[in-house]
Amino acid sequence: MASLKLSPSSPISISKVGVPCSKKGLSFLVRAEHHSSSSSSHLQDKCQRRLIVTFGVVAPWISLLSRAPLSFAAESKKGFLAVSDNKDAYSFLYPFGWQEVVIEGQDKVYKDVIEPLESVSVNLIPTSKQTIKEFGPPKQIAETLIKKVLAPPNQKTTLIDASEHDVDGKTYYQFEFTVQARNYTRHALGTITVFNGKFYTLTTGANERRWEKMKDRLHTVVDSFKITV
């Protein structure tokens, strides 16, 4: 607690106080000339009240700042919704505002109702392979999958990039490609993996004219896909 030293011509000094008793947050100086003991008591009470008020204002800000990193972490995926399929053991994110639609042969499909080329779909087929690596390297598998499964045979396809990465001990292939139709070009991303006798394919994309605007969100979608077991 503060120690008070009184003398007729010397200032009141407060030592070892974490928050000074002043409006500007600086130490204060009050000259006590001919003050009675009741005046000294009154000053102590006043200072204590100021300290209580000051701590009451500062403490919530300290608490808020200490929680800030957690709040930012919680908002790092703002603008996305999560899908978790417990039966088939996978999950992913998709942009807020996309609507779920039912398409035969697809396990899950979400799309933008205004921009129909902006969508994400998940497809599962049975396989006897144990890992995606048994099918071959990323580029080879991506090219075959794009030409024979992900695009109509009369549309031109271009593989831009293909890569491999591991998450929680499971191998995924990711790839980027375009599909050129007569009236438009779709720029797309995909990820594939194998788990528990199933070949998983997630693809997402957008019209080429909107690629620069959408690419970060689409990368978030494809990066979020994972096996949950």
Side-chain angles (χ1 to χ4, degrees):
M1 183 62 188
S3 62
L4 298 179
K5 298 179 181 179
L6 290 173
S7 68
S9 60
S10 65
I12 299 173
S13 64
I14 294 186
S15 61
K16 298 182 181 179
V17 176
V19 180
C21 185
S22 75
K23 291 183 179 180
K24 295 184 179 180
L26 302 175
S27 59
F28 67 86
L29 189 67
V30 177
R31 185 168 298 277
E33 296 180 351
H34 309 294
H35 283 289
S36 66
S37 60
S38 61
S39 181
S40 173
S41 175
H42 173 71
L43 183 58
Q44 292 183 59
D45 292 341
K46 185 176 181 181
C47 182
Q48 288 174 354
R49 287 197 300 271
R50 285 189 181 182
L51 288 173
I52 291 171
V53 171
T54 302
F55 278 118
V57 172
V58 172
W61 281 102
I62 295 174
S63 177
L64 178 61
L65 290 173
S66 68
R67 293 197 303 267
L70 294 178
S71 299
F72 291 142
E75 295 178 359
S76 62
K77 297 301 179 185
K78 185 177 180 180
F80 292 85
L81 296 176
V83 176
S84 183
D85 189 316
N86 295 327
K87 178 184 175 182
D88 292 311
Y90 69 86
S91 65
F92 65 94
L93 301 175
Y94 68 92
F96 181 81
W98 287 12
Q99 302 295 316
E100 183 174 14
V101 296
V102 177
I103 297 179
E104 187 176 355
Q106 302 294 319
D107 197 61
K108 290 278 192 303
V109 179
Y110 292 84
K111 67 185 302 181
D112 189 303
V113 295
I114 298 175
E115 295 286 344
L117 294 182
E118 293 176 14
S119 65
V120 58
S121 63
V122 178
N123 179 266
L124 288 74
I125 59 173
T127 180
S128 59
K129 306 291 187 183
Q130 297 301 307
T131 70
I132 194 67
K133 292 181 179 181
E134 294 181 41
F135 286 93
K139 183 177 180 180
Q140 176 187 330
I141 301 306
E143 286 180 336
T144 301
L145 189 65
I146 293 166
K147 291 179 179 179
K148 294 187 176 181
V149 179
L150 300 180
N154 62 337
Q155 295 182 358
K156 181 182 178 181
T157 62
T158 302
L159 177 64
I160 299 172
D161 187 37
S163 61
E164 172 186 333
H165 68 282
D166 292 338
V167 178
D168 297 330
K170 299 177 180 66
T171 301
Y172 298 79
Y173 288 173
Q174 283 191 8
F175 50 95
E176 179 180 349
F177 64 102
T178 58
V179 179
Q180 187 176 345
R182 185 175 62 177
N183 299 323
Y184 64 86
T185 297
R186 189 174 193 245
H187 201 138
L189 302 170
T191 185
I192 54 178
T193 192
V194 170
F195 175 73
N196 198 25
K198 298 173 184 175
F199 187 105
Y200 294 77
T201 304
L202 177 144
T203 53
T204 186
N207 195 308
E208 182 67 70
R209 64 178 171 80
R210 284 175 53 83
W211 173 251
E212 289 301 318
K213 181 178 181 179
M214 292 296 299
K215 65 180 182 180
D216 289 342
R217 276 178 276 183
L218 299 181
H219 275 290
T220 296
V221 172
V222 79
D223 289 341
S224 72
F225 181 79
K226 64 180 180 179
I227 302 300
T228 55
V229 177

